[in-house]
Amino acid sequence: MNAFDIIKIGSNLLKEKNIISHIIDSEILLSKILKKTREEVLVNLDQKINRKDFLKFKSYLKRRLKNEPVAYILNEKEFWETKFSINKYTLIPRPETEILVEKLLETYKEKKITILDIGTGSGCILISLINSLPQSVGIGIDISKRAVLVAKKNALKHNISNRIKLLNKSLEGIFNKKFDLIVSNPPYIERKDIKNLMDDVKIYEPRIALDGGNDGLDLIKKVIYKSKYILKIKGMLALEIGNEQIKKVSKILIDNNFRIKKVIKDNKNNIRCVFAERKK
Ligand code: GLN
């Protein structure tokens, strides 16, 4: 069988399971096995695939047919132009989060700042920021020990371990420190809505990284309350938030001595990030 046949078999089976990304998923899985880029595979579709690679493809496909995301099957996800290692203990980095990173880099380019990333997960936000801000340093914390291990692996891979500390700590464990920037993509889904998420997310992504409590705001509130003590005056809190949370989140920020500096929309025109400055 050649690459064309195999991609076709995979994509047809995935289509039967109503997986919208059936073609690209099949292409990506095969490309990974062949250790080639998707483009390289697509320009050479009549290349023969050996039995060993076909069996590997079958085992990956079996997992994808059960809705496991491609990123978990391959243990990696592209984020902000580089690849991050991930596993089932970390959320899969999202394009919305890339927008957060992009806007922060616009704000802080060339600056020397101290950053705290709360709920760092794979470390994708903090590592991307530190990578592009060569004078800056940062701390990433996460209550999941296994997530911190993944973040450490990513920091090593990106060669920035000397400017970054990754700690298995909760927010309460951070004191006597002042940051220029606190960033967080906290769990913000309302508990009752979790059952309506896609199977890919609901079954495979860590519940602890999604569940924001009864109103989805439990962790957002915690982050805001704490940030007001550990941010420098005029320091910035940058939060990723859920659809339709901006009104409530703005109120909590304002009630806690913050000034809203910027809101950012995603490609569906929903406000998904808010930057707020700590007032004097
Ligand atoms: N900071 C990580 C990310 O943005 C993890 C966030 C989380 O687990 N809620 O992907």
Side-chain angles (χ1 to χ4, degrees):
M1 263 189 294
N2 63 23
F4 178 85
D5 302 326
I6 290 189
I7 290 171
K8 191 89 193 141
I9 293 174
S11 94
N12 283 342
L13 288 167
L14 292 169
K15 194 174 172 192
E16 279 170 26
K17 287 270 171 185
N18 294 322
I19 294 176
I20 317 167
S21 51
H22 54 99
I23 300 175
I24 191 164
D25 288 356
S26 188
E27 290 168 357
I28 293 175
L29 292 177
L30 183 63
S31 313
K32 261 289 125 168
I33 292 164
L34 300 178
K35 299 191 175 66
K36 289 189 175 151
T37 65
R38 199 175 133 242
E39 291 71 23
E40 281 165 345
V41 174
L42 292 182
V43 293
N44 190 11
L45 282 170
D46 49 12
Q47 70 172 304
K48 291 270 167 288
I49 306 300
N50 66 39
R51 191 177 149 72
K52 191 167 146 256
D53 288 343
F54 178 58
L55 291 177
K56 185 132 195 223
F57 180 80
K58 263 174 64 179
S59 78
Y60 282 177
L61 192 67
K62 216 164 137 191
R63 291 168 66 182
R64 185 68 190 112
L65 285 166
K66 291 188 198 142
N67 283 99
E68 183 169 354
V70 170
Y72 287 139
I73 300 172
L74 302 178
N75 284 119
E76 64 178 32
K77 177 74 186 173
E78 271 180 31
F79 181 86
W80 197 246
E81 294 158 11
T82 62
K83 273 198 190 112
F84 281 82
S85 290
I86 59 148
N87 64 25
K88 63 178 178 183
Y89 302 106
T90 67
L91 211 65
I92 301 171
R94 300 287 201 280
E96 298 84 275
T97 312
E98 287 182 311
I99 308 180
L100 175 77
V101 168
E102 180 185 357
K103 298 293 168 195
L104 284 172
L105 289 176
E106 276 170 30
T107 310
Y108 289 103
K109 59 175 171 246
E110 319 287 323
K111 297 230 171 76
K112 181 178 175 175
I113 57 167
T114 309
I115 309 168
L116 174 66
D117 178 15
I118 301 171
T120 199
S122 62
C124 61
I125 301 177
L126 184 65
I127 293 169
S128 304
L129 292 174
I130 293 289
N131 237 342
S132 300
L133 300 170
Q135 311 207 58
S136 297
V137 292
I139 300 178
I141 57 170
D142 204 295
I143 55 169
S144 160
K145 213 185 206 159
R146 307 224 201 205
V148 172
L149 290 177
V150 176
K152 283 188 174 163
K153 184 171 170 190
N154 283 318
L156 269 177
K157 205 156 85 181
H158 287 85
N159 258 322
I160 50 160
S161 296
N162 56 337
R163 287 190 291 126
I164 210 170
K165 262 200 203 128
L166 294 156
L167 309 168
N168 175 215
K169 257 190 195 248
S170 81
L171 198 45
E172 288 81 31
I174 302 288
F175 36 81
N176 290 337
K177 285 224 158 47
K178 292 280 180 190
F179 298 93
D180 299 289
L181 169 66
I182 296 179
V183 59
S184 186
N185 173 20
Y188 51 67
I189 315 263
E190 281 183 44
R191 192 164 293 156
K192 68 167 173 33
D193 290 340
I194 291 186
K195 62 175 184 320
N196 305 326
L197 297 171
M198 291 160 70
D199 281 350
D200 290 32
V201 180
K202 187 171 54 192
I203 305 175
Y204 292 97
E205 299 213 58
R207 182 68 54 115
I208 190 184
L210 299 168
D211 186 347
N214 288 336
D215 62 358
L217 298 172
D218 283 8
L219 284 304
I220 292 182
K221 284 179 191 157
K222 264 196 179 174
V223 169
I224 295 175
Y225 299 156
K226 180 74 180 192
S227 296
K228 87 179 163 186
Y229 300 107
I230 56 174
L231 264 179
K232 293 182 189 167
I233 290 169
K234 296 204 135 199
M236 184 107 87
L237 172 60
L239 287 173
E240 182 174 321
I241 58 173
N243 271 347
E244 293 163 21
Q245 288 179 331
I246 186 64
K247 260 202 182 141
K248 287 183 182 159
V249 174
S250 303
K251 179 162 179 352
I252 306 167
L253 283 165
I254 291 161
D255 291 346
N256 283 281
N257 203 32
F258 283 91
R259 182 186 292 122
I260 312 284
K261 293 288 275 188
K262 197 197 248 314
V263 294
I264 307 165
K265 292 181 174 174
D266 63 15
N267 53 14
K268 296 187 197 115
N269 225 22
N270 296 312
I271 295 178
R272 296 301 308 283
C273 299
V274 53
F275 292 5
E277 186 183 80
R278 184 192 150 185
K279 291 200 253 175
K280 265 196 195 145

